Amino acid sequence: MTFYVTTPIYYANSLPHLGHLYTMIVADTVARSKRQKGIETYFLTGTDEHGINIERAAQKAGRTPQEQADYVVSYYKKMTAEFALDTAHGGYDVFMRTTAPFHYEGVSELWRRVATSKTPKGNDAIYKGHYEGWFCAACAAYKTEDEYQKPKTEGAPPTCLIHDTQLDRISEDSYFFRLSDYDEALLSVYEGQPDFVRPESRRNEVMSFVRGGLQDLSVSRLKTSVSWGVPVPDDPDHTMYVWFDALTNYITAIGFGNEERQKAVGFERFWPALHLVGKDILRFHAVYWPAFLLAAGIKLPRAIVAHGMWLDPNGRKMSKTLGNTVELDVLEKYFPIDSIRYFSLREMVFGQDGRFGYEGLIDRTNSDLASGLGNLSSRTLTMIGRYCDGLIPARQISEDKLLLAKRSGIDTDETTVAGFLESARDQYLQHFESLAFSRALEVAWSVVARLDKVISDAKPWDLAKDENQKQTLNAVLYRAAEALRWLSVLLYPVMPTSTSEIWKQLGLSGSPGTFNPTELKWGGLEEGKSIGEVKPIFPRIDKNKTMSEINNGAAPVAHATEADAVQGSEPKAETQPTPPMQHATEADAVGVTSFIEIDDFAKVDLRVGQVLSAERIPKADKLLLLKIDLGEEQPRQVLAGIAQYYEPETLVGRKVVVVANLKPRKLRGFESQGMVVAASYGEEGRPVIATFTEEVPNGARLK
Ligand code: MSP
């Protein structure tokens, strides 16, 4: 048995944010839960790199479209590494890029198949015509009258209801896909397979859209209007519509239309897929995509599941202008990955919109994780350490001690708790299977609450004072420890790191990630075995301190280069350096949605400096320690994450640009009193130090 799960592929015009991280977390969770059951699983994510929007973002940023795509991809790779969603951390299997040559081959093959096919009503599926209408570059979608806002001033173009940006007028020859002939075929798919579009409310929306009548879809643009894309086979003056190209990635990735991927992965082995998408792109996935596949005679996806949008804690859409976005840098700095994963899955009722705020995240981390699961785990294991010499205690209470045990308030029949766990497990897995993560987690936390109660009713600390109650004490602690084993297995897909840690602390070998939850049996925890070292799993987050740091903008953005470099020898070795001066380039990439005032820029004290000395730092393979003359009394000591790209001696004497008013920060025991500015490019964010070609004195200010 195999399983294939996909996220949407993300536009390469702007940088990743919480919305993008979220679908990846969901897909990663689904993939892990399948793998855990021994199902061979393939998990796809990637980037959608063609089209006018990317062309424009590139132009604005002074890059070629390919450079633009590479630039954005480097941020996605960085995000997936930092949030442990990449292959190295057991996450995605492929990061698809629509600029990959094998993808061109596969898309061309799909086009040819569709172009030579007949619709269910006997017409050519693709025909040439003339398109006249409005197009939203950001949605990459044609807009009908009810989908745009009429202009306030006469003669101005209408605006997109979603993006609030002006639409492009299009009047040109185009290939059309005869979508209007597919309404009945699609409706019979939705009716015959009620699970095809989920949740139910979205399925109803899709069905009423199709029942309302489908218009033929323009599936190409003249190359003179949009050149950044896949050429239409045998008619290179036309470029394929970016959604035709993008959707096809789901099959080209696994081998459709190209030998190389077919050998590496295998189309028949993994297709059909479960597509996870945001509700905003449901129509493309639930209407256009199945229609293309029907035309090409290819099996339809297993299902299309639409999730809601993340809003801010007040229910507003997140936007840079409102300043209510959740920043990935902040998440990364202040929150453990598992608490972000837990919060995302717990807080958004799958299919509905959810609210995401730092305060809520801190509250849930502290209540559900630190005080809930974390506390259950540490108190249980600490007591096993203290009262049972660190060995998993015996679970049975002998006949002669039963009455005594009952008196202490415990249910002497262990099958009660075992039965409770079995039924919780079944409910949990059922919710999980239908992607109702929030409900599944509620069930898991009912187990935490139940075991907490078992402990507080039995009061092991009192039982420990009475030698006659030794068996009762053992039984109570065994139950808690065994429940923790079950919870580790059940919760592994949601919180892989912390559950693996609990597993280890229980003294178990292997990983909960390879334990099939349907095979959990009461009593699996072996008596007499040593537990591991007990450490806190979910440290409490100091809400006031963290919130004030976040609100004061003490996020690590400007220091990211050095910080990442320090992490080089730690577990997050794959982390790529964040390009220095991230904000400036970020604004370019997103098509400048967040301008700053000149006063904002003036806050950054940029100075000319000269490198006096440069040396490597032991055990920090990415870091150089520089002494820089900024025309001040004393040279500055600055750490720079460039050791992999610059030999220290080549830097001595060189003029550089330094951020002189950056708050000093300690790294690897050395204080860094500023930051060297560098460009960053390519997938690994290769740094290139900014310098001058003319004479300039040390300490001169850049304005
Ligand atoms: N490139 C297309 C998808 C092509 S798939 C063949 C695209 N890209 S996107 O980058 O704009 O969006 C990708 C996904 O991010 C969508 O599923 C969208 O719903 C999701 N999100 C964007 N903002 C979001 C939130 N605020 N909350 C949750 N998800 C959101 O569309």
Side-chain angles (χ1 to χ4, degrees), residues 162-163 243 277-284 306-309:
I162 300 167
H163 293 94
W243 272 101
V277 301
K279 66 179 184 187
D280 54 330
I281 54 170
L282 182 58
R283 185 187 302 174
F284 301 94
H307 62 74
M309 297 287 125

Side-chain angles (χ1 to χ4, degrees), residues 8-11 17 19-20 48 243 246 250 278 280-281 307-310:
I9 49 169
Y10 305 98
Y11 286 131
H17 58 67
H20 308 132
D48 183 354
W243 272 101
Y250 298 135
D280 54 330
I281 54 170
H307 62 74
M309 297 287 125
W310 282 110

Side-chain angles (χ1 to χ4, degrees), residues 59 92 242 298 301 315 340 368 381 474 508 536 540 677:
Q59 206 175 14
Y92 64 69
V242 63
I298 297 172
I340 300 165
D368 298 10
L381 290 162
N474 284 349
L508 295 164
R540 286 189 77 74
V677 175

